[in-house]
Amino acid sequence: MSWEKEYQSKLMKADQALDYVKSGERVVIGHACAEPSHLVETMVSKAEQYENVEIVHMVAMGKAGYAQPDMEKHFRHNALFVGGSTRKAVAEGRGDFTPCFFYRVPSLFTNGSLPVDVALIQATPPDENGNMSLGISVDYTLPAARAAKKVIVQVNKELPRTYGDSCINVSDTNIVAIVEHDAPIIELAPPKIGEVERAIGANCANLIHDGDTLQLGIGAIPDAVLLFLKEKKDLGIHSEMFSDGVVELVEQGVITNAKKTTHPGKFVANFLMGTKRLYNFVNNNPDVELYPVDYVNHPMVVMKEDNIVSINSCVQLDLMGQAASETIGYTQISGVGGQVDFIRGATMAKNGRSILAFPSTAAKGTVSKIVPLLDEGAAVTTSRNDVDYAVTEYGIAKLAGKSLKDRARALIEIAHPDFRDALKNVYEERFHCNY
Ligand code: COA
């Protein structure tokens, strides 16, 4: 059968397509801004017909109706990353959190840990060969679609088409339903960048040189770093994700990817989150390549990129250099994401560097992020053996290669002045010496 005929034979309304989901099955939902909202919302509207459907999702940018209190009998959320719309469900015990390095998530779908019954994904209309691009979220979404027994696709003309390894084919035998539904792609507004973030950005920029390749996390700090890179030349991007901030630097000729060791001339990422400006930039752009996360984030792939600099953030850093980046005490507020994937890859790369950049205080200046001990219940995201540079608005602390005593000192120097005396007292007690 031609792919055109197969497409017609698989085409149906969402209501009918969601009948492929059965009670007790595991459903993996496409990631972040490429979430197939129409499919997810239809599934939630049919909740009465399901019991105990497990919903596996990472960053949920949609409404996450399945995580609401009245949905408990029908859906159980298993989060691989906790976001705004799912935090409450996990905190209240109505959902679960499964820790896993991002690059290893696809292996959970194939090694028997989390076999996928149904993948709900979004894709572009097919090209002349029947290939449909997953657009801005290839990450774990494409591996889930490849591993799933049943795939339900929302075809959306608004989804940007991306290059790399981003496609499924209409003829793939596990695609059981195609639902045409055009809708605007979820956008992530650029973050507000304040004075503290600007100071952190300026400090990070001192560690970035012409020709470096960058991995940037999400949020105000990575965007603030980009503000201070306007004088640099030939920067490259090999990143879990990137956002609008890079588009400006491309237009200014700062990011060219020309000096990259792998994929020269190309942006490499596994997902993208931003506004229409970013989506227009990446649409049908052969210079932007998206691949699954088990390639992009794999430390053995990252390490091949000479001069790679990874920039991520944390919630707390203790005086030994242990970073809690995803919990506040016992509360899971996010996930490890690609933080450790990139820190390990960058550490192994020729002239690689990794930075944990964060404001020196939280909760309106009332608590220090540099602490003697992590809060009870906090998970160590990045170990003291992996951490390299720590950066706050007060400066840069190089931790790798430093003794416990020297790294504690370096961290106190970049702590907020209001908390330095207390930290110095801990230092004197711990190391039996004067500061
Ligand atoms: N004590 C108490 N509260 C704290 C805190 C601390 N040490 N650190 C942060 N908080 C609070 C903040 O005050 C804020 O509360 P609010 O929402 O009520 O204002 C909230 O926690 C979020 O902190 P914020 O610093 O605004 O978060 P962020 O958006 O800058 O994200 C991380 C920081 C660390 C949570 C985020 O970078 C992350 O999840 N990292 C792990 C994943 C990762 O690195 N991925 C990399 C590739 S994308």
Side-chain angles (χ1 to χ4, degrees):
M1 212 199 297
S2 70
W3 70 257
E4 288 90 344
K5 282 197 178 138
E6 287 208 45
Y7 187 91
Q8 288 308 318
S9 73
K10 292 175 178 181
L11 198 57
M12 61 190 79
K13 294 278 177 221
D15 189 57
Q16 190 188 350
L18 268 305
D19 285 344
Y20 277 104
V21 174
K22 306 289 179 203
S23 290
E25 287 190 328
R26 175 176 295 115
V27 174
V28 177
I29 296 179
H31 193 210
C33 291
E35 172 177 332
S37 303
H38 182 57
L39 299 183
V40 176
E41 283 164 24
T42 305
M43 178 180 71
V44 172
S45 74
K46 290 161 73 75
E48 286 304 322
Q49 76 180 54
Y50 312 119
E51 253 179 58
N52 215 10
V53 169
E54 181 184 331
I55 304 292
V56 175
H57 206 172
M58 275 190 77
V59 177
M61 292 294 289
K63 295 178 190 149
Y66 51 80
Q68 297 309 310
D70 56 340
M71 289 290 154
E72 258 184 286
K73 218 176 93 203
H74 311 295
F75 303 109
R76 176 107 191 145
H77 178 39
N78 183 358
L80 300 173
F81 192 100
V82 175
S85 54
T86 54
R87 202 165 283 148
K88 205 158 178 264
V90 173
E92 291 174 357
R94 291 180 286 104
D96 302 301
F97 176 77
T98 300
C100 185
F101 293 128
F102 197 2
Y103 88 95
R104 282 173 51 184
V105 167
S107 73
L108 302 181
F109 302 148
T110 53
N111 70 9
S113 303
L114 292 179
V116 187
D117 294 304
V118 186
L120 301 186
I121 64 168
Q122 186 165 222
T124 62
D127 66 10
E128 65 281 7
N129 298 312
N131 291 321
M132 303 186 283
S133 168
L134 269 55
I136 56 170
S137 275
V138 171
D139 44 60
Y140 69 80
T141 309
L142 184 59
R146 286 179 175 156
K149 294 192 191 100
K150 297 171 272 188
V151 180
I152 303 175
V153 189
Q154 176 182 336
V155 169
N156 184 352
K157 284 192 191 117
E158 307 261 339
L159 188 67
R161 177 179 293 278
T162 54
Y163 284 70
D165 175 15
S166 78
C167 291
I168 52 171
N169 191 279
V170 170
S171 303
D172 290 346
T173 49
N174 63 351
I175 298 178
V176 293
I178 293 173
V179 176
E180 290 181 343
H181 185 89
D182 299 330
I185 301 304
I186 297 171
E187 295 188 31
L188 178 74
K192 285 200 176 74
I193 300 174
E195 280 313 304
V196 170
E197 287 80 12
R198 289 179 71 85
I200 295 168
N203 286 335
C204 290
N206 284 327
L207 296 169
I208 297 168
H209 313 303
D210 292 348
D212 282 349
T213 290
L214 307 179
Q215 175 260 326
L216 300 158
I218 189 171
I221 290 173
D223 276 34
V225 174
L226 293 172
L227 291 178
F228 292 88
L229 300 178
K230 294 190 172 142
E231 306 303 319
K232 311 277 180 198
K233 291 191 187 70
D234 284 326
L235 298 179
I237 300 287
H238 179 111
S239 191
E240 170 173 321
M241 56 86 64
F242 61 86
S243 198
D244 287 46
V246 303
V247 180
E248 204 157 312
L249 288 184
V250 177
E251 287 165 2
Q252 291 165 353
V254 175
I255 296 178
T256 63
N257 295 303
K259 304 279 181 185
K260 285 180 74 180
T261 332
T262 65
H263 304 268
K266 310 284 184 189
F267 292 84
V268 171
N270 72 68
F271 74 103
L272 305 165
M273 291 172 94
T275 68
K276 196 112 183 107
R277 183 181 188 198
L278 175 75
Y279 302 156
N280 288 340
F281 171 73
V282 302
N283 185 32
N284 272 316
N285 183 343
D287 291 340
V288 180
E289 295 184 344
L290 268 74
Y291 295 93
V293 65
D294 49 353
Y295 174 75
V296 175
N297 281 33
H298 199 301
M300 303 284 269
V301 172
V302 175
M303 69 177 275
K304 290 186 188 146
E305 194 59 59
D306 295 352
N307 309 308
I308 186 160
V309 187
S310 118
I311 305 165
N312 293 291
S313 194
C314 65
V315 170
Q316 281 186 327
L317 193 63
D318 74 12
L319 288 180
M320 293 191 283
Q322 304 190 103
S325 310
E326 54 187 299
T327 50
I328 300 178
Y330 286 100
T331 308
Q332 188 75 41
I333 62 159
S334 58
V336 58
Q339 179 165 128
V340 178
D341 304 347
F342 275 92
I343 287 180
R344 292 201 167 146
T347 304
M348 293 187 287
K350 189 174 163 196
N351 193 32
R353 281 140 280 157
S354 76
I355 301 171
L356 280 177
F358 55 94
S360 64
T361 61
K364 300 196 172 71
T366 57
V367 294
S368 174
K369 288 196 161 211
I370 295 177
V371 287
L373 296 169
L374 298 181
D375 281 356
E376 183 182 311
V380 175
T381 305
T382 297
S383 90
R384 61 185 189 172
N385 309 296
D386 285 315
V387 75
D388 186 6
Y389 288 96
V391 172
T392 69
E393 68 275 30
Y394 291 102
I396 301 170
K398 168 80 173 162
L399 302 188
K402 279 203 170 71
S403 68
L404 289 176
K405 188 175 166 187
D406 289 347
R407 59 176 59 197
R409 222 184 151 87
L411 285 170
I412 293 167
E413 296 298 314
I414 63 161
H416 192 284
D418 288 355
F419 297 96
R420 281 186 204 161
D421 285 345
L423 291 167
K424 283 176 189 171
N425 290 340
V426 172
Y427 173 97
E428 293 187 346
E429 216 172 281
R430 198 176 281 181
F431 298 106
H432 311 288
C433 64
N434 292 330
Y435 185 79

